[in-house]
């Protein structure tokens, strides 16, 4: 079933109507909230309405399980038996009651009731009104967080609104304190990081009212403290791009060589970063889906890559069956993954992902990695990366591929990070914390970025 965007009705504010429609599509269509929020459908919202819609959508998705447990405590009906539209209206109302202190309770309740009417669930209007009025009288703390020293996995999962099975995995793999840090990071609005592509970029951005501070991992990175970078001339001219610092770091490790293959290139941030670092390289960017290949070409054009880097060729193909011989000295395989390192930006992932999905993803990732080994020239390097925190998608994939291919050896990422430090590109003062065994491993809450993994394989 495809949810249709509904016209605004009297009594429903544009931001709340947009938030309701987006949350419904996220549930019904497995859409990504961030993509919908930045789609053409909602570009006509005023800046204030767009900001509120974003806060409502991502806030409800981040805290969904905690909101549901509170609704369930006040409801005469089991939550599982409620129509989806009713559940979303209740979540929106409760989120405003508990998290948005500047929103009057009467407005949050009234508009949630109007939303269920708008969704043709008029018979549920009195129920929604009664539940939210009851919740408005209950003092729920915004964050009743467990102490680091005595927090159990169950308490962490409940207080930070994460599936318990995920928290159990992270506690087992990284320790309970780190698992708590990951969950805490996921519940905060993440920093917007940019990569400067031109010497005048920072000056231009500041002249347009954007407040920046230095990045914490890389010298070319900046964190946005205030302002919307996407509305600036500097951004439109391609002088800078939005890119998480962990993603920038993976691209830095993958750069080098004169013939480069990017196997799963869209949306293109790493492709562009490698092109900027190696302007004389010939880069082939492969993308499976035609519409994403078109978006990749559009990004490269908007960033001016066609002028500065004329040798970027975008090819629509399946990375599991690459049509190349062994002639690339750099190959990047940033594979499709669960995305558990990016839950601060994509909180809907944690409610969709199931344990069995990791095995399905692993088989696909392994097929891509084995395919990507064939085009690597002797002495060339293959960089395997994900934005996942899960061992099945990371170390296990790299080790399985290496066990069946004797012409590759695993390099220690520490030496490459040391090289970036010597070149004064890596500025993080504890590079050892970025390493787990021979692999690159960034962790949200420990590092100021998304969770990324990278393995570097060299063909001997």
């Amino acid at each position: 079933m495809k949810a249709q965007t509904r016209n605004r009705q009297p009594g429903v504010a544009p931001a709340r109507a947009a938030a309701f429609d987006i949350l419904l599509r996220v549930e019904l269509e497995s859409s990504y909230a961030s993509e919908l929020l930045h789609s053409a459908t909602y570009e006509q919202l005023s800046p204030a309405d767009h900001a509120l819609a974003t806060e409502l959508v991502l806030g409800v998705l981040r805290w969904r399980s905690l909101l549901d447990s509170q609704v369930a405590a006040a409801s005469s009906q089991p939550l599982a038996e409620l129509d989806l539209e009713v559940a979303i209206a209740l979540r929106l109302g409760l989120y405003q009651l508990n998290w948005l202190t500047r929103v009057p309770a009467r407005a949050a309740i009234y508009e949630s009731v109007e939303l269920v009417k708008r969704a043709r669930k008029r018979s549920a209007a009195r129920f929604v009104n009664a539940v939210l009025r009851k919740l408005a009288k209950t003092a729920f703390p915004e964050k009743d967080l467990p102490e680091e020293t005595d927090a159990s996995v169950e308490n962490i999962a409940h207080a930070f609104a994460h599936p318990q099975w995920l928290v159990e995995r992270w506690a087992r793999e990284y320790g309970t304190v780190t698992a708590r840090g990951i969950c805490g990071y996921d519940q905060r609005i993440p920093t917007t990081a940019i990569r400067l592509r031109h010497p005048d970029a920072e000056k231009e951005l500041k002249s347009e009212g954007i407040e920046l501070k230095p990045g914490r991992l890389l010298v070319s990175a900046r964190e946005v403290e205030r302002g919307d970078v996407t509305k600036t001339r500097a951004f439109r001219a391609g002088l800078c791009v939005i890119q998480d610092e962990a993603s920038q770091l993976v691209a830095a490790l993958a750069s080098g060589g004169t013939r480069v293959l990017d196997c799963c290139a869209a949306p293109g941030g790493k492709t562009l970063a490698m092109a900027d670092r190696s302007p004389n390289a010939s880069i082939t960017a492969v993308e499976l889906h035609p519409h994403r290949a078109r978006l990749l070409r559009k990004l490269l054009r908007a960033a001016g890559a066609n002028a500065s880097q004329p040798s970027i060729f975008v090819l629509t193909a399946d990375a599991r069956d690459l049509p190349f011989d062994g002639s690339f000295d750099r190959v990047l395989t940033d594979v499709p993954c669960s995305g558990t390192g990016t839950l601060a930006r994509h909180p809907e992932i944690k409610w969709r992902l199931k344990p069995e999905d990791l095995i399905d993803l692993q088989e696909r990732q392994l097929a891509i990695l084995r395919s990507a080994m064939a085009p690597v020239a002797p002495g060339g390097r293959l960089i395997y990366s994900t934005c996942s925190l899960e061992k099945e998608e990371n170390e296990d994939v790299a080790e399985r591929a290496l066990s069946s291919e004797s012409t590759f050896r695993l390099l220690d990422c520490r030496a490459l990070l040391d090289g970036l430090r010597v070149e004064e590109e890596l500025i993080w003062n504890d590079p050892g914390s970025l390493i787990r065994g021979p692999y690159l491993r960034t962790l949200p809450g420990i590092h100021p970025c998304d969770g990324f993994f990278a393995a570097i394989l060299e063909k001997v």
Side-chain angles (χ1 to χ4, degrees):
M1 174 181 176
K2 185 173 183 179
Q4 300 295 322
T5 301
R6 299 167 175 81
N7 294 326
R8 182 193 171 191
Q9 300 295 324
V12 180
R16 293 180 178 87
F20 180 90
D21 291 344
I22 289 170
L23 287 168
L24 193 59
R25 288 187 64 183
V26 166
E27 294 286 346
L28 293 176
E29 303 172 10
S30 295
S31 301
Y32 284 95
S34 60
E35 292 180 2
L36 293 176
L37 283 162
H38 292 95
S39 67
T41 304
Y42 302 104
E43 64 184 7
Q44 299 304 317
L45 288 174
S46 70
D49 281 338
H50 197 277
L52 178 56
T54 300
E55 168 70 26
L56 291 173
V57 169
L58 295 181
V60 166
L61 290 172
R62 286 192 182 106
W63 295 101
R64 197 184 83 176
S65 63
L66 189 58
L67 292 169
D68 285 354
S69 68
Q70 293 171 1
V71 167
S75 173
S76 59
Q77 299 181 40
L79 199 66
E81 295 180 7
L82 299 180
D83 288 338
L84 179 59
E85 294 88 345
V86 176
I88 290 173
L90 286 168
R91 291 166 183 163
L92 277 168
L94 180 55
Y95 181 76
Q96 292 171 83
L97 290 174
N98 279 357
W99 272 262
L100 303 187
T101 56
R102 290 181 294 179
V103 175
R106 63 181 182 278
I109 295 170
Y110 171 77
E111 295 217 11
S112 293
V113 171
E114 292 301 306
L115 283 169
V116 294
K117 294 178 182 177
R118 174 178 176 269
R120 299 183 177 89
K121 302 292 178 181
R122 186 173 291 272
S123 62
R126 292 182 64 182
F127 170 76
V128 169
N129 183 66
V131 170
L132 289 178
R133 285 186 179 278
K134 184 176 180 179
L135 288 166
K137 298 175 183 178
T138 305
F140 287 114
E142 179 181 331
K143 295 183 182 69
D144 185 15
L145 304 181
E147 295 293 331
E148 290 187 24
T149 53
D150 60 0
S152 68
V153 165
E154 184 178 6
N155 287 341
I156 293 170
H158 174 75
F160 288 98
H162 277 63
Q164 187 168 326
W165 71 270
L166 262 183
V167 182
E168 287 173 347
R169 292 175 59 86
W170 297 340
R172 188 166 57 246
E173 188 69 18
Y174 304 112
T176 303
V177 172
T178 297
R180 184 186 189 279
I182 294 169
C183 292
Y185 184 94
D186 290 345
Q187 299 307 92
R188 298 192 296 270
I189 298 172
T191 299
T192 297
I194 64 172
R195 182 174 61 83
L196 303 178
R197 302 185 60 236
H198 191 278
D200 295 334
E202 189 164 18
K203 180 180 177 181
E204 289 283 337
L205 289 167
K206 289 181 177 179
S207 73
E208 296 187 68
I210 305 298
E211 295 181 17
L212 303 171
K213 65 179 182 180
R216 288 183 274 177
L217 291 184
L218 295 162
V219 71
S220 59
R222 297 292 184 274
E223 294 182 4
V224 180
E225 289 198 292
R226 186 183 300 275
D228 186 349
V229 170
T230 65
K231 305 297 184 185
T232 65
R233 294 186 303 274
F235 179 82
R236 291 193 298 270
L239 303 185
C240 66
V241 292
I242 295 173
Q243 188 176 16
D244 182 78
E245 285 201 71
S247 176
Q248 295 184 43
L249 180 56
V250 170
L253 291 175
S255 297
T258 58
R259 192 164 185 220
V260 179
L261 174 62
D262 188 350
C263 292
C264 306
K270 296 182 186 68
T271 309
L272 187 60
M274 291 189 295
D276 288 344
R277 290 177 59 87
S278 304
N280 297 318
S282 172
I283 299 178
T284 300
V286 173
E287 172 54 41
L288 174 62
H289 302 288
H291 73 282
R292 286 173 61 83
R294 288 193 295 271
L295 289 174
L296 174 57
R297 293 186 185 96
K298 182 178 179 181
L299 177 142
L300 294 172
R301 285 196 301 270
N306 286 354
S308 62
Q309 174 56 276
S311 297
I312 299 180
F313 176 64
V314 179
L315 174 68
T316 302
D318 190 338
R320 291 169 293 188
D321 187 21
L322 292 166
F324 304 114
D325 57 13
S327 57
F328 291 93
D329 46 16
R330 287 291 185 279
V331 175
L332 172 63
T333 54
D334 184 41
V335 297
C337 68
S338 65
T340 54
T342 67
L343 298 185
R345 303 181 196 280
H346 305 293
E348 60 271 43
I349 289 173
K350 63 187 175 183
W351 309 122
R352 293 179 187 162
L353 190 67
K354 298 177 176 60
E356 56 267 27
D357 294 338
L358 299 176
I359 301 303
D360 293 338
L361 284 164
Q362 184 188 86
E363 293 305 316
R364 183 181 181 189
Q365 292 153 354
L366 184 60
I368 292 173
L369 179 52
R370 284 174 171 161
S371 174
M373 287 174 155
V376 181
R381 291 177 180 173
L382 188 161
I383 295 82
Y384 172 80
S385 69
T386 77
C387 54
S388 167
L389 304 180
E390 315 314 315
K391 185 173 182 289
E392 290 92 335
E393 301 181 86
N394 297 327
E395 293 94 334
D396 289 356
V397 172
E399 290 165 11
R400 284 184 64 185
L402 285 166
S403 68
S404 60
E405 182 50 78
S406 61
T407 61
F408 281 83
R409 64 182 180 123
L410 183 65
L411 298 184
D412 193 331
C413 283
R414 186 182 304 273
L416 282 82
L417 291 178
D418 288 344
L420 292 176
R421 286 274 290 179
V422 170
E423 295 167 7
E424 299 184 342
E425 293 191 51
L426 180 66
I427 56 175
W428 182 248
N429 59 10
D430 184 14
S433 73
L434 300 169
I435 297 294
R436 196 164 192 256
Y439 305 107
L440 175 75
R441 168 79 282 168
T442 62
L443 292 168
I446 303 300
H447 305 110
C449 56
D450 290 341
F452 266 77
F453 169 90
I456 302 178
L457 285 59
E458 184 176 67
K459 189 167 187 177
V460 294

